[in-house]
Amino acid sequence: MFELITLPYGAKDLEPVISERTIGFHHGKHLQGYVDNLNKLLPGSGLEGLTLEEIVCKSSGGIFNNAGQILNHNLYFTQFCKGGVALADGGRLKAQIIKQWGSVEAFQAEFVAKGVGLFGSGWVWLSRDADGSLVITQEPGASNPVVRGLKPLLTFDVWEHAYYLDYQNRRAAHLEALWQIVDWSVIEKRM
Ligand code: MN
């Protein structure tokens, strides 16, 4: 049985970037729904006892969609904190970003542009490949970079449920604001 993750911050702590109301629906209703659905679908599927990553790599249909959304949201919700934590100077992640994009700002601009440019519902990701290079990918629906053999590091949710209560149609404004609450120490640990 999978369980709803506990948030590592209070429901109001990400305001005004993400409101308490959005956290309530996004974590308490949408993510809870994916957890409940997966727990109903898994018995008899042959995938019981596997990790979320393993299920995502081996499944399709409803099991893939619900397991993928749990994996995605678990990574999403645990990468934020009140006020954010800056990307560490002298760290290997910042060095790699500057090596590949020229500046952190140029990386952020491409990341947001790929989130804005993703048609419909999905996720934009920063991942590490087998050679240690960083890559930005757009994943439709419930997908996750693990299906491509990538190690997911950072993600912005571009499903409308992630921002519609606070930003309505202004997806770009929401994605730009998220940089204020990213805890880069978490992203460094994932690398
Ligand atoms: Mn979501």
Side-chain angles (χ1 to χ4, degrees), residues 5 7-9 26-27 31 73-80:
I5 56 158
L7 297 176
Y9 40 76
H26 199 185
H27 173 260
L31 181 51
H73 285 95
N74 288 356
L75 291 165
Y76 174 80
F77 281 120
T78 56
Q79 71 189 2
F80 298 129

Side-chain angles (χ1 to χ4, degrees), residues 7-20:
L7 297 176
Y9 40 76
K12 288 184 181 173
D13 285 350
L14 305 184
E15 293 191 340
V17 177
I18 302 176
S19 69
E20 179 181 22

Side-chain angles (χ1 to χ4, degrees), residues 137-164:
T137 63
Q138 297 167 310
E139 305 292 339
S143 195
N144 184 290
V146 295
V147 302
R148 309 164 187 258
L150 298 169
K151 166 74 179 167
L153 303 176
L154 167 75
T155 189
F156 286 178
D157 185 348
V158 303
W159 284 59
E160 285 186 344
H161 68 220
Y163 61 88
Y164 214 83

Side-chain angles (χ1 to χ4, degrees), residues 85-100:
V85 171
L87 189 51
D89 286 323
R92 64 176 179 141
L93 180 54
K94 186 168 185 177
Q96 188 66 30
I97 287 173
I98 290 171
K99 181 182 169 190
Q100 291 187 232

